[in-house]
Amino acid sequence: MAFGIPNQADAGASALQSAVDAGDFDILVEAYNGDGVISGGAVTTSCGLSLAVASGVAMVNGARVTIGSGTVTISTADACNPRIDLVHVTCGGTKSEAAGTAAAVPVYPAVPANSAVLAAVFVPAADTSISTAQITDCLLYTSPSPRDLSTARM
């Protein structure tokens, strides 16, 4: 899959997922600047508040980063309001959550420095389990650097 902002009818868990957010543009700017995924990195449900991240390769700050398969656990949901979290990979290859702020109309948290965003996760109030409908793919595919192309095995 690839980056997308769902239409309201296709928003999944909440119509709030279809709202265009400044965070969407921040993610696009990061990709324009070269931070993104070369391959893999898909985020899917696992168990409870855990998400599975597929192995892959990303470009972060001009460096090739290996994404090891594994899990990212979403922080406990707020009791009263929803929030939006970002799942990202750092320049060191660490998979992590950037938790948003719970609010009646939540917005994306700031895109973490030195990272490539993989997915946005809508976390409803009092949620205890993440479903597929709550995950919005934020994979923005980028090309490897010219150096990576010159040393790639054919």
Side-chain angles (χ1 to χ4, degrees), residues 1-3 36-44 52-59 64-70 87-89 95 116-119 137-142:
M1 300 204 330
F3 179 86
V37 174
I38 296 171
S39 65
V43 177
T44 56
V53 178
S55 62
V57 178
M59 292 296 290
R64 188 180 180 105
V65 175
T66 299
I67 305 169
S69 63
V87 176
H88 62 100
V89 61
K95 298 168 295 295
V117 176
L118 306 176
D137 190 350
C138 292
L139 295 174
L140 282 164
Y141 293 97
T142 189

Side-chain angles (χ1 to χ4, degrees), residues 1-40:
M1 300 204 330
F3 179 86
I5 302 169
N7 293 321
Q8 189 168 1
D10 301 324
S14 170
L16 293 172
Q17 290 173 271
S18 67
V20 177
D21 186 280
D24 291 312
F25 293 104
D26 292 342
I27 294 167
L28 290 170
V29 168
E30 292 297 320
Y32 178 79
N33 290 329
D35 291 342
V37 174
I38 296 171
S39 65

Side-chain angles (χ1 to χ4, degrees), residues 68-121:
S69 63
T71 59
V72 171
T73 301
I74 299 299
S75 304
T76 303
D78 183 78
C80 300
N81 287 306
R83 70 169 194 267
I84 299 172
D85 294 355
L86 299 177
V87 176
H88 62 100
V89 61
T90 67
C91 58
T94 302
K95 298 168 295 295
S96 188
E97 166 208 28
T101 301
V105 180
V107 297
Y108 282 37
V111 173
N114 305 313
S115 68
V117 176
L118 306 176
V121 181

